[in-house]
Amino acid sequence: MSDIETPIHEALSADELEARLRAIGEQRYHHRHPFQLMLQNGELNRRQVQAWALNRYYYQSMIPLKDASLIARLDDPALRRAWRARLVDHDGEAEGEGGIARWLKLTDGLGLDREMVVSTRRILPATRFAVEAYLHFVRERSVLEAIASSLTELFSPLVIGQRVSGMLEHYDFVSAETLAYFEPRLTQAPRDAEMALDYVKLHARRPDQQQAVLDALIFKCQVLWTQLDALHHAYVAPGHVPPGAWDGEAQTEAL
């Protein structure tokens, strides 16, 4: 049994807790998923990349709702102000700004109809279930668990760098402008992760709290992994696209 599978019976030091959290990321973050590796290694076709961008939009669009629901539960004004930066990062200060707008430039650049993307009607069922499970987790679990679930951002800069460089190298249908969403995340994600990690290390002191923190990060890794599982099953192998999900046909059909 690995350390991350061993239940906590005696309180860990803050540094030991951080080490456990980082071990979870190394073993369970989606940088190891076959679909992610295919994406960055140029092994997907245009339709498969489109399917990834379309489904990932739903996850991106729900992040501000997740963060707003958490902010509403925070008693500390300083923490609310700090967490509010995440809303601005994704929603922007005005129309056409922020991470969601940049993601739509990605789907536009890949040739997807914007109305179809924004409607989310053609995403995979598993995408919807996984993302909404994450939203409910943050709304319903303790603040400590909700904050801990965001710690996948500790590991995202590595994946972003590999994804962007690999896609630019291998796909002639993307450009640096198309992938503009990712550059700000290289600074935003470490900033957010450091704040969340500091909070968790300070407030998770009892064994039960520390176990809850570890379980929250494992859950979030499962949310991300499940989304890629669904993409791989539908668009790579065995290639079973569920009824109603996008299959590369005329973009506005059945909206």
Side-chain angles (χ1 to χ4, degrees):
M1 181 179 292
S2 67
D3 285 344
I4 67 171
E5 307 295 343
T6 304
I8 298 176
H9 299 295
E10 296 184 2
L12 305 173
S13 70
D15 289 343
E16 289 172 334
L17 178 61
E18 179 177 349
R20 286 268 195 120
L21 290 165
R22 293 188 181 277
I24 289 171
E26 174 57 31
Q27 296 180 31
R28 298 198 178 207
Y29 191 55
H30 66 295
H31 66 306
R32 294 183 178 273
H33 196 284
F35 192 94
Q36 165 63 27
L37 297 175
M38 293 178 72
L39 177 65
Q40 69 192 40
N41 292 336
E43 298 170 5
L44 300 180
N45 59 39
R46 183 187 181 96
R47 169 179 170 269
Q48 291 165 335
V49 175
Q50 287 175 312
W52 164 74
L54 168 65
N55 280 270
R56 178 81 181 199
Y57 171 78
Y58 189 59
Y59 175 76
Q60 302 299 144
S61 70
M62 290 293 107
I63 290 175
L65 277 68
K66 177 267 297 185
D67 288 324
S69 68
L70 177 56
I71 289 171
R73 301 171 60 200
L74 299 177
D75 295 329
D76 182 358
L79 185 56
R80 288 199 300 270
R81 285 191 295 269
W83 208 271
R84 192 172 61 200
R86 296 170 181 246
L87 293 180
V88 176
D89 289 345
H90 287 86
D91 283 342
E93 293 283 12
E95 188 73 22
E97 299 178 356
I100 295 175
R102 288 194 301 275
W103 196 271
L104 287 171
K105 290 181 180 179
L106 168 60
T107 56
D108 288 348
L110 289 172
L112 292 168
D113 179 80
R114 181 172 285 208
E115 182 182 0
M116 186 268 291
V117 173
V118 173
S119 76
T120 75
R121 294 174 185 171
R122 310 302 300 279
I123 65 174
L124 297 169
T127 299
R128 192 177 305 279
F129 293 150
V131 172
E132 292 183 4
Y134 180 40
L135 187 61
H136 287 299
F137 185 96
V138 172
R139 287 175 172 173
E140 297 167 6
R141 296 297 186 98
S142 68
V143 167
L144 180 61
E145 290 170 289
I147 290 177
S149 70
S150 75
L151 286 173
T152 48
E153 290 177 319
L154 286 168
F155 322 112
S156 64
L158 174 62
V159 173
I160 289 172
Q162 293 173 335
R163 179 185 296 150
V164 171
S165 62
M167 292 181 72
L168 289 175
E169 178 182 357
H170 296 295
Y171 302 122
D172 60 7
F173 50 84
V174 299
S175 65
E177 182 179 1
T178 306
L179 300 178
Y181 166 83
F182 295 105
E183 183 176 356
R185 295 302 301 159
L186 291 172
T187 54
Q188 293 168 354
R191 175 205 67 197
D192 294 343
E194 181 180 358
M195 179 177 65
L197 182 61
D198 288 345
Y199 182 93
V200 165
K201 290 169 69 175
L202 179 63
H203 291 87
R205 298 184 176 181
R206 301 193 313 262
D208 62 312
Q209 292 172 324
Q210 294 176 341
Q211 186 65 60
V213 162
L214 298 177
D215 290 343
L217 181 55
I218 289 172
F219 167 78
K220 176 62 179 305
C221 288
Q222 291 171 337
V223 166
L224 297 173
W225 195 275
T226 296
Q227 293 177 69
L228 295 185
D229 273 350
L231 284 165
H232 196 278
H233 186 272
Y235 299 103
V236 180
H240 292 164
V241 179
W246 180 82
D247 195 18
E249 74 279 12
Q251 314 300 355
T252 57
E253 183 181 343
L255 280 175

